[in-house]
Amino acid sequence: MDFKLTEEQELIRENMREFTRKYVDPVAVEIDENSRYPEEVIKKLAEGDWMGMPYPQEYGGAGVEYLTYAIVVEELSRSCAATGFTLSCHTSLASGPIYNYGSEDQKKKYLVPLAKGQKIGAFGVTEPGAGTDVGAATTTAVLDGDTYVLNGTKTFTSNGPVADTFVIFAFTDKSLGPKGLSAFIISKDNPGLKVGQHFYKMGIRASQTSEMILKDCRVPKEDLLGKEGQGMQIAMATFDHGRIGIAAQAVGIAQAAMDESISYAKQRIQFGKPISKNQAIQWMIADMATDISAARFLTYHAAYLKDQGKPFSKEAAMAKVFAAEMANKHASKAVQIHGGNGYCKGFKVERLMRDAKITEIYEGTSEAQRMVIAGNVLR
Amino acid sequence: MPGILCCFKWVVDEAYIRAGTGKELDLDWVDYKISDYDRNAIEEAVRLQEKHGGNVSAITVGKPDDTKGLKDALSRGPEKAYFINDSSFDNLEPSQTAAILAEVIGGSSIDYDLIICGEGSSDLYARQVGPRLAAKLGIPCAAFVQKIEMEQDKIIVERKIEDGVEVLELPLPALVTVLPDINSPRIPGLKDTLSASKKPVIDIGLDELSGSFDPCLRTISISKANMERNGVKLSSEPQDISSLVDALIKQGVIGGVK
């Protein structure tokens, strides 16, 4: 058993850390405050080949292992969880299904510009009445000659307002239940696709989220992703991959919470000494360090299994639920260590506590992760 | 088409040095990095190549397991690296490093017009390797350079000196040591790091060197500096400033008025 990262992985982590110090840290507060999409940062990420990390070079990616991708998402999220998620949503949720289920033509047409970061991707599965219950979706796709006609409304579409390429799910045959769901690739310039309401969120505010409205949206047959009826399988497999990214994002948030806590506790003087000398603070930080290590190993293990071509669905769910819950616990503890300061704008832990919450919700709630884990271990 | 050699040192990243329980430093968990100033040297070499063509090679002296440093350097643009290594090449003094580099560069078929070093290393900061190397190679040297203009067979450099800026013209081949002001080193992208492993590294062992590289100095100890905090808060009000001055005099930090 080897716990050592390769020299390349260590260098990639260090380079991403340097990238965040130079380009992300300086804007992280402002983009959170204004819910602003950091287009200039995303362009810089594209220039550095960070937008298509796990996909082969022939499709515009860098061809690195998923483990390396998880390390980068963690490091980017340590600086700004919203930017980390913009990248992971684009990479895992939008580009992932095209790479895994797309035809050669679809990969050349859609994946290459996504992996190069020339275009931004989004993934539309959630609907007002279909969250965890994906099968409750009502969006329909009716074949009319050589085109499918899609009608319905998707909600909470991450990257929706800024994306160029969407992977969107609709029922081609509702009577078949989950087996009637299909996936489609749709470009933003399709006149039948419109950005609806923007959502202004509690956390990851710089990540752009909106409704996507499909009204008589005509999609050519060649843009059906996979086969008719394969949508549920594509959605679930995509979430398996995406969960590794969210687990990594949660580890990055928690690491940042610990970094801030250590720095603050060493400087904050109360009763004539730094509060880091108090056992109460030491124990909180000890628990943070322990849980972050545990979550990081779970996350890296899930990525490792994927890289080995082994089943990783259960491990990805374990990593996601554990990392998300520990990030919430410790972001809250970090605010506690900062006291009143931590509750105010201007201290990073305030943003971290807001950002952490979403990791328990999207790409499968903590409850959904437990369903996946239980389904695997109770077989 | 100039041939540019950039020298770099793989050093302890000071951010990871911790205080030991006694006076010693805890180096058990340190990580390493390319010396900060040497990043500027590599960057300047690559920028000159981008402008004038030619080739850039990196060269370093270190231990055989310092391979991560080679990948790091190569990910920043040089096409190949010379890796002069031996397990005894640990904590070398500037005189030793310069002598080893001089033997390899001067006595081999390495073709160069310009050698670029950082102004000093970010661990010892002795600022000696560049000038010593130039002296041993018998080539002109300009230290503390903040700008390089390259022409056919010469360079024009700006040196930052105490009272201003000195402009010098040096015939090639020459050596310069560069200041951090000269450029802002690029951050290697993902593909830069991945392609670094595929670039050629010329391995040169101690058995290929004929000189003796004895140290001139003996390190007796390296110990931590203590920084005590008193936790006293003072404002900019006159009475607080007086209190601060009194406290500093009392502690012997500054001398009293006689």
Side-chain angles (χ1 to χ4, degrees):
Chain A
M1 197 166 196
D2 186 0
F3 287 98
K4 192 169 162 43
L5 299 178
T6 65
E7 288 177 343
E8 282 81 6
Q9 286 166 334
E10 288 179 7
L11 285 170
I12 287 165
R13 180 195 287 279
E14 288 156 19
N15 290 334
M16 178 42 68
R17 190 171 301 165
E18 199 179 336
F19 181 97
T20 60
R21 282 185 187 142
K22 187 167 183 181
Y23 298 115
V24 188
D25 289 350
V27 299
V29 171
E30 179 265 315
I31 61 175
D32 171 69
E33 190 76 21
N34 298 321
S35 288
R36 181 177 74 79
Y37 175 65
E39 190 177 0
E40 72 283 9
V41 175
I42 302 300
K43 278 188 179 158
K44 286 278 177 199
L45 285 166
E47 285 169 18
D49 308 309
W50 302 104
M51 294 300 281
M53 282 180 266
Y55 306 114
Q57 300 209 2
E58 62 186 290
Y59 296 124
V64 298
E65 308 86 348
Y66 226 71
L67 174 55
T68 308
Y69 165 68
I71 291 166
V72 172
V73 172
E74 174 192 333
E75 206 56 53
L76 183 54
S77 302
R78 185 176 174 182
S79 168
C80 173
T83 308
F85 177 62
T86 300
L87 179 141
S88 82
C89 171
H90 163 86
T91 307
S92 304
L93 295 187
S95 309
I98 300 175
Y99 174 64
N100 288 313
Y101 294 93
S103 65
E104 196 56 30
D105 285 347
Q106 288 173 334
K107 287 180 193 174
K108 282 183 183 149
K109 185 176 176 186
Y110 295 110
L111 179 59
V112 170
L114 285 170
K116 287 183 175 175
Q118 295 162 339
K119 293 199 170 175
I120 298 300
F123 176 87
V125 67
T126 304
E127 295 186 12
T132 302
D133 184 7
V134 173
T138 57
T139 300
T140 54
V142 177
L143 190 59
D144 177 23
D146 285 339
T147 59
Y148 288 94
V149 182
L150 275 68
N151 279 289
T153 299
K154 296 290 169 184
T155 193
F156 301 144
T157 307
S158 302
N159 289 354
V162 295
D164 305 282
T165 306
F166 296 78
V167 173
I168 286 194
F169 294 80
F171 275 100
T172 38
D173 188 346
K174 186 77 181 169
S175 69
L176 295 174
K179 289 188 176 169
L181 193 68
S182 301
F184 300 87
I185 307 171
I186 309 178
S187 295
K188 75 165 181 190
D189 46 13
N190 188 314
L193 181 69
K194 293 268 187 292
V195 177
Q197 181 193 350
H198 286 240
F199 296 101
Y200 295 94
K201 307 182 295 297
M202 171 203 275
I204 58 158
R205 290 167 53 80
S207 162
Q208 304 298 301
T209 315
S210 69
E211 283 182 332
M212 296 306 303
I213 297 162
L214 299 129
K215 190 170 181 192
D216 296 330
C217 179
R218 289 194 165 266
V219 180
K221 263 173 97 173
E222 59 264 28
D223 287 343
L224 171 71
L225 184 60
K227 296 176 190 153
E228 254 193 38
Q230 207 178 1
M232 188 62 83
Q233 181 195 339
I234 293 172
M236 293 303 121
T238 301
F239 282 137
D240 280 344
H241 294 84
R243 280 164 192 159
I244 297 174
I246 303 306
Q249 182 196 18
V251 172
I253 293 170
Q255 180 67 51
M258 186 170 81
D259 296 341
E260 294 297 310
S261 297
I262 291 171
S263 168
Y264 185 83
K266 283 182 172 176
Q267 290 176 37
R268 174 69 172 167
I269 309 289
Q270 287 289 276
F271 302 106
K273 62 182 180 183
I275 60 170
S276 61
K277 300 282 184 194
N278 297 335
Q279 196 179 55
I281 303 295
Q282 290 171 0
W283 284 22
M284 279 194 247
I285 290 173
D287 287 347
M288 284 183 191
T290 307
D291 285 348
I292 291 167
S293 282
R296 183 174 286 130
F297 283 129
L298 279 172
T299 306
Y300 291 3
H301 182 233
Y304 163 84
L305 289 174
K306 175 176 159 38
D307 288 332
Q308 298 300 310
K310 302 249 170 70
F312 64 95
S313 176
K314 177 186 70 180
E315 286 75 11
M318 286 173 163
K320 202 243 178 200
V321 65
F322 185 81
E325 292 184 355
M326 78 92 198
N328 275 275
K329 175 179 163 188
H330 293 306
S332 174
K333 289 288 183 190
V335 171
Q336 191 68 22
I337 289 169
H338 283 68
N341 285 327
Y343 198 67
C344 295
K345 296 274 181 197
F347 280 81
K348 187 174 176 182
V349 290
E350 174 269 333
R351 169 161 57 93
L352 293 170
M353 188 170 163
R354 289 186 286 106
D355 286 348
K357 185 60 201 172
I358 191 63
T359 63
E360 287 185 296
I361 298 170
Y362 60 16
E363 300 199 32
T365 59
S366 288
E367 294 70 31
Q369 306 311 315
R370 289 187 168 88
M371 285 162 60
V372 172
I373 298 163
N376 272 272
V377 298
L378 290 170
R379 257 182 208 164
Chain B
M1 301 290 257
I4 307 174
L5 266 180
C6 47
C7 304
F8 76 91
K9 184 178 183 184
W10 190 236
V11 299
V12 166
D13 186 340
E14 64 276 9
Y16 293 92
I17 300 174
R18 292 179 187 174
T21 48
K23 283 184 178 174
E24 79 289 355
L25 298 177
D26 179 0
L27 300 174
D28 287 351
W29 295 99
V30 292
D31 207 342
Y32 292 79
K33 65 176 181 179
I34 291 177
S35 173
D36 295 337
Y37 307 104
D38 295 345
R39 290 186 183 201
N40 298 100
I42 297 170
E43 178 67 26
E44 195 59 22
V46 174
R47 286 186 187 200
L48 287 170
Q49 182 202 29
E50 286 167 354
K51 196 169 172 186
H52 300 283
N55 59 76
V56 174
S57 303
I59 186 163
T60 190
V61 181
K63 301 194 298 299
D65 56 2
D66 292 344
T67 51
K68 184 177 161 190
L70 288 170
K71 292 191 179 90
D72 193 354
L74 288 169
S75 72
R76 294 168 190 275
E79 291 112 72
K80 64 178 174 185
Y82 295 93
F83 184 31
I84 314 164
N85 65 92
D86 188 80
S87 53
S88 65
F89 290 168
D90 192 16
N91 292 320
L92 293 174
E93 291 170 21
S95 63
Q96 295 172 290
T97 306
I100 294 165
L101 285 170
E103 186 181 329
V104 171
I105 297 170
S108 70
S109 56
I110 299 177
D111 190 23
Y112 70 92
D113 298 291
L114 178 63
I115 300 173
I116 308 181
C117 303
E119 64 160 307
S121 61
S122 48
D123 53 355
L124 295 180
Y125 194 55
R127 294 165 291 172
Q128 291 181 26
V129 169
R132 279 176 181 270
L133 175 57
K136 282 182 177 293
L137 293 172
I139 59 174
C141 172
F144 309 114
V145 166
Q146 62 179 12
K147 189 176 177 190
I148 303 173
E149 290 290 340
M150 192 165 231
E151 294 185 7
Q152 187 63 30
D153 51 4
K154 66 182 180 187
I155 50 170
I156 296 153
V157 302
E158 286 183 9
R159 292 184 68 222
K160 194 173 181 180
I161 54 176
E162 210 163 294
D163 298 327
V165 174
E166 183 181 44
V167 181
L168 291 175
E169 184 178 297
L170 285 78
L172 296 175
L175 184 147
V176 294
T177 73
V178 296
L179 296 170
D181 320 27
I182 198 164
N183 56 46
S184 173
R186 68 197 67 191
I187 302 169
L190 195 51
K191 287 182 186 170
D192 297 324
T193 305
L194 298 173
S195 64
S197 304
K198 298 180 184 122
K199 291 183 178 178
V201 174
I202 294 102
D203 209 76
I204 301 163
L206 183 59
D207 56 347
E208 293 172 65
L209 305 176
S210 57
S212 60
F213 310 104
D214 298 324
C216 306
L217 305 170
R218 187 164 58 89
T219 302
I220 297 166
S221 71
I222 298 174
S223 53
K224 69 183 181 188
N226 276 324
M227 191 167 65
E228 297 288 342
R229 291 174 192 275
N230 291 328
V232 180
K233 277 189 180 175
L234 297 160
S235 74
S236 57
E237 296 299 318
Q239 65 271 24
D240 272 4
I241 293 169
S242 296
S243 304
L244 172 66
V245 172
D246 290 345
L248 293 175
I249 292 170
K250 200 174 170 185
Q251 290 180 23
V253 178
I254 57 173
V257 178
K258 289 175 182 168

